Amino acid sequence: MPWTSEHTKWLVDTGERLKTADGKEVEVWEFQHQDDDDVLSAWAKHFRNHYCLDAEIDFFRAKRTRQDYLNSIKFPCSTSKLGPGIRAGDFGEILVADYLQWLLGFWVPRVRWGSKVIRDESPKGSDVIGFRFHKKDGTSPKDVLVVFEAKTKFSGSGKNRLQDAINDSAKDHLRIDESLNFIKQKLFERKEIEQAQLVERFQSPVDVPYKETYGAAAIISDEHFDAKIIAGADCGKIPKSAKSKELIPHPNSKSLVLVVIKGPDMMTLVHELYRRAADEA
């Protein structure tokens, strides 16, 4: 299997907790990444397979080399106007998916990033969706669906990226049906029928109830981390729509989990991970 969790040992809960303007707790984690060739290479393989499975790349690349196919077709461009931002965004989403799966014990299908048509664009729908089953066989009202929005801040923007993640999270309850259908469809296309059927369990919440948890995560490079800016986030004041000045409370505020992940030289790490993912394909 191409997947690994070795790099998640660098993800450490600092124990620090911030408070937002409306009093919600924000967990602060630190990504203490190191220059470890073995872990970085395994992580690069794991990362690459989100875009194109190693078992399938030789069919899709045609006459190109694997490296050229990944750098020219699949991976966001490192030098275009939008590419670096998309790289950072994809990295943040995948890191949150790893956090949910390897540290919190959710099952997170990895189908979003390989389904892009335009490499320098973000896919539509909720960023990261995970599932947890209370028992091995059958359904339980204690089964959990988790939906996270992830935003990165690896450059000098003054934006409160946790607030941006909170704002986008407010839309997740409206698009969950489409997002679940997308995941189920992609798993079916991969002929992973049993996994597709696991997703189906969460498509009828009225008939077969379960718990819902929502989350907003900001992944921030140390040089741009400001606790005061993060603490200025407010789950009680969400724009009603993209163009509206009217503010409303987050619709799932009671079940909303807030997380910040910070680490040194994150954009350098992002570019190195993409480089390894292509060069070692």
Side-chain angles (χ1 to χ4, degrees):
M1 291 295 292
W3 314 116
T4 181
S5 61
E6 275 295 296
H7 57 286
T8 62
K9 69 184 181 184
W10 294 335
L11 194 53
V12 178
D13 186 351
T14 66
E16 181 182 2
R17 297 295 182 265
L18 303 176
K19 289 287 186 180
T20 62
D22 59 319
K24 286 196 68 67
E25 185 176 89
V26 183
E27 298 179 14
V28 180
W29 291 67
E30 188 168 7
F31 194 57
Q32 301 172 352
H33 57 89
Q34 301 172 18
D35 187 16
D36 184 319
D37 273 341
D38 290 340
V39 175
L40 287 171
S41 290
W43 184 18
K45 179 179 180 180
H46 167 87
F47 196 77
R48 176 177 67 244
N49 276 266
H50 286 76
Y51 290 91
C52 184
L53 294 174
D54 284 351
E56 299 175 354
I57 190 171
D58 288 335
F59 175 81
F60 290 117
R61 68 184 175 89
K63 300 295 183 180
R64 297 175 182 267
T65 64
R66 291 182 175 185
Q67 182 185 46
D68 183 43
Y69 173 71
L70 291 167
N71 284 330
S72 301
I73 302 293
K74 298 300 290 183
F75 291 164
C77 182
S78 63
T79 57
S80 65
K81 182 178 180 180
L82 298 177
I86 299 299
R87 281 188 167 208
D90 286 2
F91 170 90
E93 292 172 4
I94 294 171
L95 187 60
V96 169
D98 292 339
Y99 159 76
L100 289 175
Q101 181 156 341
W102 304 118
L103 275 68
L104 300 189
F106 287 90
W107 167 52
V108 183
R110 312 297 178 119
V111 297
R112 172 177 169 84
W113 303 273
S115 302
K116 292 186 184 186
V117 176
I118 307 298
R119 64 182 180 138
D120 282 355
E121 290 184 359
S122 295
K124 303 295 183 182
S126 301
D127 289 346
V128 185
I129 296 178
F131 311 90
R132 181 189 286 155
F133 299 89
H134 183 66
K135 52 188 180 181
K136 291 184 178 180
D137 299 316
T139 63
S140 167
K142 294 182 180 180
D143 294 342
V144 182
L145 168 71
V146 63
V147 187
F148 254 80
E149 291 297 316
K151 301 296 180 185
T152 56
K153 185 178 181 181
F154 299 159
S155 65
S157 167
K159 285 187 173 182
N160 187 332
R161 295 301 274 162
L162 181 62
Q163 184 68 62
D164 291 340
I166 292 168
N167 292 352
D168 276 4
S169 171
K171 309 169 191 173
D172 279 330
H173 70 289
L174 299 174
R175 54 193 178 191
I176 190 62
D177 287 343
E178 294 169 324
S179 296
L180 289 174
N181 179 72
F182 171 79
I183 294 172
K184 182 181 177 182
Q185 179 178 327
K186 290 301 175 182
L187 291 172
F188 178 82
E189 290 172 359
R190 288 186 181 180
K191 302 191 185 309
E192 297 176 357
I193 307 304
E194 289 186 6
Q195 292 191 352
Q197 290 171 333
L198 292 177
V199 175
E200 183 175 320
R201 177 266 173 274
F202 293 89
Q203 291 183 291
S204 303
V206 176
D207 297 329
V208 192
Y210 52 81
K211 295 182 179 180
E212 291 183 355
T213 298
Y214 293 85
I219 303 90
I220 305 173
S221 199
D222 279 346
E223 59 269 29
H224 302 297
F225 176 80
D226 188 324
K228 290 183 178 179
I229 291 178
I230 294 298
D234 194 334
C235 302
K237 297 179 179 179
I238 308 298
K240 188 174 183 179
S241 65
K243 297 182 179 180
S244 175
K245 294 183 179 180
E246 181 181 354
L247 300 177
I248 61 172
H250 191 289
N252 302 105
S253 180
K254 291 183 179 180
S255 66
L256 187 64
V257 177
L258 304 180
V259 178
V260 169
I261 300 172
K262 62 188 184 77
D265 301 319
M266 294 294 275
M267 199 64 209
T268 301
L269 174 65
V270 169
H271 288 312
E272 171 62 13
L273 190 60
Y274 277 102
R275 184 198 67 76
R276 281 178 178 265
D279 291 356
E280 298 176 8

